[in-house]
Amino acid sequence: MLQCWDRHLESTQEPVPTSRACPPWLCLLKSPAVSQDLILLPLPRKFKKSGAGFRLPPKGEIYLQGGAPKGLFSAGRIQEALRHLHCDWTLSAADPEGRPGIFLVLGSLKIKNEEGYELEISRQGVKIEAKARRGLLHGVSTF
C-alpha cells in the first residue's frame, strides 16, 4: 500500500524502498538521483532537475489561485490521488501567506499554449501554473 512519505517514516523509521512503495513523483522529491528513471506523462518538452525537494506531509492544503472555480476539477484530482496515499489535503482559495502546499495557478501570462503548463517542485511545495484549464489538467496529470 502506498503511504505518505512522513507517515511511512513515522511507522517504520526507514526510507520507502523506491522499487515497491514509492510512486515516481514522490521518489523524485526525496532523491534527485531517481529522476533518471522518472516516467512523466504527458512527456514534458523541457525537464530541469534543481535538486530541491518537497516532503509530502500527511496533511496539507491545495491552493487554487487565479481562476479558482475553473481549477476545481484539477484540484479534486490531486486531492483524490493524495487520499489513495492516505493523505488528508484540503482545498483552499485563501492566500497561503508563505505556508507550504500545492499551488494551482490558472491564467498565467507566461504560458502561451492553452494546453501548456509549468510544474515546479521546491522546498515551499509544488506549483502547477497554466494559462487555461486544459493545461492545468495536464500539469496535474504529470504530477
Side-chain angles (χ1 to χ4, degrees):
M1 179 185 322
L2 299 175
Q3 297 178 343
C4 277
W5 175 249
D6 281 355
R7 190 161 296 174
H8 181 82
L9 282 177
E10 289 169 8
S11 63
T12 65
Q13 296 301 311
E14 58 188 54
V16 177
T18 58
S19 61
R20 66 177 170 91
C22 187
W25 53 268
L26 189 56
C27 291
L28 174 66
L29 300 181
K30 72 173 183 127
S31 172
V34 177
S35 65
Q36 295 170 350
D37 300 321
L38 186 65
I39 298 170
L40 297 174
L41 295 172
L43 188 64
R45 288 186 187 188
K46 186 194 273 187
F47 177 82
K48 180 181 174 189
K49 183 172 68 171
S50 68
F54 175 70
R55 184 171 286 183
L56 189 67
K59 292 184 183 233
E61 290 193 78
I62 301 165
Y63 298 100
L64 292 152
Q65 300 173 324
K70 292 181 180 180
L72 214 51
F73 178 77
S74 295
R77 298 271 317 245
I78 288 181
Q79 189 179 38
E80 186 61 31
L82 291 172
R83 279 192 191 124
H84 286 288
L85 295 171
H86 303 283
C87 297
D88 183 27
W89 282 60
T90 58
L91 302 180
S92 175
D95 182 1
E97 298 176 359
R99 291 184 297 251
I102 297 173
F103 305 90
L104 303 180
V105 182
L106 196 54
S108 173
L109 298 176
K110 70 179 181 178
I111 310 294
K112 303 299 180 205
N113 187 322
E114 294 281 320
E115 295 187 8
Y117 64 91
E118 183 174 293
L119 187 149
E120 180 182 344
I121 300 171
S122 70
R123 285 180 175 69
Q124 257 322 91
V126 176
K127 181 179 177 183
I128 303 171
E129 198 168 345
K131 178 179 181 176
R133 285 188 289 188
R134 287 185 294 180
L136 190 61
L137 185 57
H138 289 317
V140 164
S141 297
T142 298
F143 176 67

Coordinates of all heavy atoms in Angstrom, one line a residue, residues 3-35:
Q3 N 1.8 5.0 0.9 CA 1.6 5.9 2.0 C 2.3 7.2 1.8 O 3.3 7.3 1.1 CB 2.1 5.3 3.3 CG 1.4 4.0 3.7 CD 1.9 3.4 4.9 OE1 3.0 3.8 5.4 NE2 1.2 2.5 5.5
C4 N 1.9 8.2 2.5 CA 2.6 9.5 2.5 C 4.0 9.2 3.1 O 4.2 8.4 4.0 CB 1.9 10.5 3.4 SG 0.7 11.4 2.5
W5 N 5.0 10.0 2.6 CA 6.4 9.8 3.0 C 6.5 10.0 4.5 O 7.1 9.1 5.2 CB 7.2 10.8 2.2 CG 8.7 10.8 2.6 CD1 9.3 11.8 3.3 CD2 9.7 9.8 2.4 NE1 10.6 11.5 3.5 CE2 10.9 10.3 3.0 CE3 9.6 8.6 1.8 CZ2 12.0 9.6 2.9 CZ3 10.8 7.9 1.8 CH2 12.0 8.4 2.3
D6 N 6.0 11.0 5.1 CA 6.2 11.3 6.5 C 5.5 10.1 7.3 O 6.0 9.7 8.3 CB 5.6 12.6 6.9 CG 6.5 13.8 6.6 OD1 7.6 13.5 6.1 OD2 6.1 14.9 6.8
R7 N 4.3 9.7 6.9 CA 3.6 8.7 7.7 C 4.4 7.4 7.6 O 4.5 6.7 8.6 CB 2.3 8.5 7.1 CG 1.4 7.6 8.0 CD 0.0 7.7 7.7 NE -0.5 9.1 8.0 CZ -1.7 9.5 7.7 NH1 -2.6 8.7 7.1 NH2 -2.0 10.7 8.0
H8 N 5.1 7.1 6.5 CA 5.9 5.9 6.4 C 7.1 6.0 7.4 O 7.4 5.0 8.1 CB 6.4 5.6 5.0 CG 7.2 4.4 4.9 ND1 6.6 3.1 4.7 CD2 8.5 4.2 4.9 CE1 7.6 2.2 4.7 NE2 8.8 2.9 4.7
L9 N 7.7 7.1 7.4 CA 8.8 7.3 8.3 C 8.4 7.2 9.8 O 9.2 6.6 10.6 CB 9.5 8.7 8.1 CG 10.3 8.9 6.9 CD1 10.8 10.3 6.8 CD2 11.5 8.0 6.9
E10 N 7.2 7.7 10.1 CA 6.8 7.6 11.5 C 6.6 6.2 11.9 O 6.9 5.8 13.0 CB 5.5 8.4 11.7 CG 5.6 9.9 11.6 CD 4.3 10.6 11.5 OE1 3.2 9.9 11.7 OE2 4.3 11.8 11.3
S11 N 6.1 5.3 11.0 CA 5.7 4.0 11.3 C 6.9 3.0 11.3 O 6.9 2.0 12.0 CB 4.6 3.5 10.5 OG 5.0 3.4 9.1
T12 N 7.9 3.3 10.4 CA 9.0 2.3 10.3 C 10.3 2.9 10.6 O 11.3 2.1 10.7 CB 9.0 1.8 8.8 OG1 9.3 2.8 8.0 CG2 7.7 1.1 8.4
Q13 N 10.5 4.2 10.6 CA 11.8 4.8 10.8 C 12.8 4.5 9.8 O 14.0 4.5 10.0 CB 12.3 4.5 12.2 CG 11.5 5.0 13.3 CD 11.3 6.5 13.3 OE1 12.3 7.2 13.2 NE2 10.1 7.0 13.4
E14 N 12.4 4.1 8.6 CA 13.3 3.8 7.5 C 12.7 4.3 6.2 O 11.5 4.5 6.1 CB 13.6 2.3 7.3 CG 12.4 1.5 7.1 CD 12.7 0.0 7.2 OE1 13.3 -0.4 8.2 OE2 12.4 -0.7 6.2
P15 N 13.5 4.7 5.2 CA 13.0 5.2 3.9 C 12.1 4.3 3.2 O 12.3 3.1 3.3 CB 14.2 5.6 3.1 CG 15.4 5.2 3.9 CD 15.0 4.6 5.2
V16 N 11.2 4.8 2.3 CA 10.4 4.0 1.5 C 11.3 3.4 0.4 O 12.0 4.1 -0.3 CB 9.3 4.9 0.8 CG1 8.5 4.0 -0.1 CG2 8.4 5.5 1.9
P17 N 11.3 2.1 0.2 CA 12.0 1.5 -0.9 C 11.5 2.0 -2.2 O 10.3 1.9 -2.5 CB 11.8 0.0 -0.7 CG 11.2 -0.2 0.6 CD 10.6 1.1 1.0
T18 N 12.4 2.4 -3.1 CA 11.9 3.0 -4.4 C 11.4 2.0 -5.3 O 10.6 2.3 -6.2 CB 13.1 3.7 -5.1 OG1 14.2 2.8 -5.3 CG2 13.6 4.9 -4.2
S19 N 11.7 0.7 -5.1 CA 11.3 -0.3 -6.0 C 9.8 -0.8 -5.8 O 9.2 -1.3 -6.7 CB 12.2 -1.5 -6.0 OG 12.2 -2.0 -4.6
R20 N 9.3 -0.6 -4.6 CA 7.9 -1.1 -4.4 C 6.9 -0.1 -4.0 O 5.8 -0.1 -4.6 CB 8.0 -2.3 -3.4 CG 8.4 -1.9 -2.0 CD 8.3 -3.1 -1.1 NE 8.9 -2.8 0.2 CZ 8.2 -2.3 1.2 NH1 6.9 -2.1 1.2 NH2 8.8 -2.0 2.4
A21 N 7.1 0.7 -3.0 CA 6.1 1.5 -2.5 C 6.1 3.0 -2.9 O 5.2 3.7 -2.5 CB 6.1 1.5 -0.9
C22 N 7.1 3.4 -3.7 CA 7.2 4.8 -3.9 C 6.8 5.2 -5.3 O 7.4 4.7 -6.3 CB 8.7 5.2 -3.7 SG 9.1 6.9 -3.8
P23 N 5.7 6.0 -5.5 CA 5.4 6.4 -6.8 C 6.5 7.3 -7.4 O 7.2 8.0 -6.6 CB 4.1 7.2 -6.6 CG 4.1 7.6 -5.2 CD 4.9 6.6 -4.5
P24 N 6.7 7.3 -8.7 CA 7.8 8.0 -9.3 C 8.0 9.5 -8.8 O 9.1 10.0 -8.5 CB 7.6 8.0 -10.8 CG 6.7 6.8 -11.0 CD 5.9 6.7 -9.7
W25 N 6.9 10.2 -8.8 CA 7.0 11.7 -8.4 C 7.4 11.8 -7.0 O 8.1 12.8 -6.6 CB 5.7 12.4 -8.7 CG 4.4 11.8 -8.1 CD1 3.6 10.9 -8.7 CD2 3.9 12.0 -6.8 NE1 2.6 10.6 -7.8 CE2 2.8 11.2 -6.7 CE3 4.3 12.8 -5.7 CZ2 2.0 11.2 -5.5 CZ3 3.6 12.8 -4.6 CH2 2.4 12.0 -4.5
L26 N 7.0 10.9 -6.1 CA 7.4 11.0 -4.7 C 8.9 10.7 -4.5 O 9.6 11.3 -3.8 CB 6.6 10.1 -3.8 CG 6.7 10.2 -2.3 CD1 6.4 11.6 -1.8 CD2 5.8 9.2 -1.6
C27 N 9.4 9.7 -5.3 CA 10.8 9.4 -5.3 C 11.6 10.6 -5.8 O 12.7 10.8 -5.2 CB 11.1 8.2 -6.2 SG 10.4 6.7 -5.7
L28 N 11.2 11.3 -6.7 CA 11.9 12.5 -7.2 C 12.0 13.5 -6.1 O 13.1 14.1 -5.9 CB 11.2 13.1 -8.4 CG 11.8 14.5 -8.9 CD1 13.1 14.3 -9.5 CD2 10.8 15.1 -9.9
L29 N 11.0 13.6 -5.3 CA 11.0 14.6 -4.2 C 12.1 14.2 -3.1 O 12.7 15.1 -2.5 CB 9.7 14.7 -3.5 CG 8.5 15.1 -4.4 CD1 7.2 15.2 -3.6 CD2 8.8 16.4 -5.1
K30 N 12.3 12.9 -2.9 CA 13.2 12.6 -1.8 C 14.6 12.2 -2.3 O 15.6 12.2 -1.6 CB 12.7 11.4 -1.0 CG 12.7 10.1 -1.7 CD 12.3 8.9 -0.8 CE 12.4 7.7 -1.6 NZ 13.2 6.7 -1.0
S31 N 14.8 12.0 -3.6 CA 16.1 11.6 -4.1 C 16.3 12.1 -5.6 O 15.7 11.5 -6.5 CB 16.3 10.1 -4.0 OG 17.4 9.7 -4.7
P32 N 17.0 13.1 -5.8 CA 17.2 13.6 -7.1 C 17.8 12.6 -8.1 O 17.6 12.6 -9.3 CB 18.2 14.8 -7.0 CG 18.0 15.2 -5.6 CD 17.7 14.0 -4.8
A33 N 18.6 11.6 -7.6 CA 19.2 10.6 -8.4 C 18.1 9.7 -9.1 O 18.3 9.2 -10.2 CB 20.1 9.8 -7.6
V34 N 17.0 9.6 -8.5 CA 15.9 8.7 -9.0 C 15.3 9.3 -10.3 O 14.7 8.6 -11.1 CB 14.8 8.5 -7.9 CG1 13.7 7.7 -8.5 CG2 15.4 7.9 -6.7
S35 N 15.5 10.6 -10.5 CA 14.8 11.2 -11.7 C 15.3 10.6 -13.0 O 14.6 10.8 -14.0 CB 15.1 12.7 -11.7 OG 16.5 13.0 -11.9

